[in-house]
């Protein structure tokens, strides 16, 4: 899942308007940002296997430190602590922690049964939404559209730059997600990890969006 994770980040802004959107995008993306680093270090493993699922050519052989439920709870607590150090209020910190854990829940829906509950011997879970391209588009796409509508419902653009910031973000992320099943598989694990690291750009990009879209008159400042 990709835009589905972004969807919960944008929806989180409705629950904690004072928290910068960048924190929510960072939280919802934390496991996927840790994963390529651990791949490059040889701590976690993935196999590139075209046809592994209809939507994704990857077999996640071993990724308990970035994607197990227990570790995602720990990463959520750690990121919430950093957010508090940077001035995020208690409500925002709680939501940051929950959004990190939400990553596991959404991956459980999409992945084949490969998600561990904890490092070490563990059941591996997944409902396998990725086995159907139409169902993945329907479920994840609906989440993304709903989250964007929710975000925009009480916000207004501060000018042309705001539209450029938001809609370039939406077009790029949606395009990468929607074309994923039809592109060539990654040439190597290192290339895959390098590309995945570029996902970190969504954090400052989302912060830029949030700075240029303000809450509507009468709702206070975000």
């Amino acid at each position: 899942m990709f835009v589905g994770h972004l969807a919960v980040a944008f929806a989180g802004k409705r629950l904690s308007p004072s928290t910068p959107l960048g924190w929510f995008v960072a939280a919802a993306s934390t496991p996927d940002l840790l994963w390529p680093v651990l791949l490059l270090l040889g701590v976690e493993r993935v196999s590139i296997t075209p046809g592994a699922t209809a939507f994704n050519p990857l077999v996640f052989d071993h990724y308990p430190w970035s994607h197990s439920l227990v570790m995602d709870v720990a990463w959520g607590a750690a990121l919430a602590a950093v957010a508090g150090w940077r001035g995020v209020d208690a409500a925002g910190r709680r939501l940051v922690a929950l959004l990190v854990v939400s990553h596991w829940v959404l991956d459980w829906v999409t992945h084949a049964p490969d998600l561990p509950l904890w490092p070490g011997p563990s059941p591996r879970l997944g409902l396998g939404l990725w086995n159907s391209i139409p169902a993945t588009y329907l479920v994840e796409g609906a989440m993304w559209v709903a989250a964007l509508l929710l975000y925009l419902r009480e916000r207004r653009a501060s000018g042309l730059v705001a539209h450029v910031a938001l809609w370039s973000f939406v077009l790029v992320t949606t395009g990468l997600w929607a074309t994923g099943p039809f592109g060539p598989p990654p040439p190597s694990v290192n290339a895959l990890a390098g590309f995945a690291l570029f996902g970190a750009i969504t954090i400052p990009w989302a912060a830029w969006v949030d700075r240029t879209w303000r809450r509507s008159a009468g709702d206070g400042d975000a």
Side-chain angles (χ1 to χ4, degrees), residues 57-75:
L58 304 179
V59 175
F60 298 94
D61 301 307
H62 181 74
Y63 60 162
W65 302 106
S66 64
H67 277 76
S68 70
L69 179 58
V70 167
M71 288 307 303
D72 285 352
V73 170
W75 293 124

Side-chain angles (χ1 to χ4, degrees), residues 29-52:
S29 306
T30 290
D32 282 349
L33 296 177
L34 293 168
W35 176 66
V37 176
L38 296 174
L39 277 183
L40 291 171
L41 292 174
V43 175
E44 298 191 337
R45 300 187 304 276
V46 67
S47 301
I48 300 169
T49 308

Side-chain angles (χ1 to χ4, degrees), residues 1 11 22 40 42 50 53 65 78 84-85 97 106 111 130 152 166 186-187 196 202 205 207 221-222:
M1 189 167 280
L40 291 171
T53 65
W65 302 106
W85 173 60
L106 294 181
H111 282 225
W130 274 344
L152 292 172
L166 175 63
T202 58
W205 201 343
D221 295 330

Side-chain angles (χ1 to χ4, degrees), residues 43-130:
V43 175
E44 298 191 337
R45 300 187 304 276
V46 67
S47 301
I48 300 169
T49 308
T53 65
F55 203 85
N56 193 301
L58 304 179
V59 175
F60 298 94
D61 301 307
H62 181 74
Y63 60 162
W65 302 106
S66 64
H67 277 76
S68 70
L69 179 58
V70 167
M71 288 307 303
D72 285 352
V73 170
W75 293 124
L79 187 63
V82 175
W85 173 60
R86 297 297 297 171
V88 175
D89 64 21
R93 295 196 300 272
R94 287 193 293 269
L95 196 51
V96 163
L98 285 172
L99 287 183
V100 177
V101 178
S102 80
H103 190 105
W104 190 94
V105 176
L106 294 181
D107 279 1
W108 168 68
V109 173
T110 55
H111 282 225
D114 57 31
L115 285 160
L117 293 173
W118 52 76
S122 165
R124 291 164 67 90
L125 308 177
L127 297 180
L129 181 66
W130 274 344

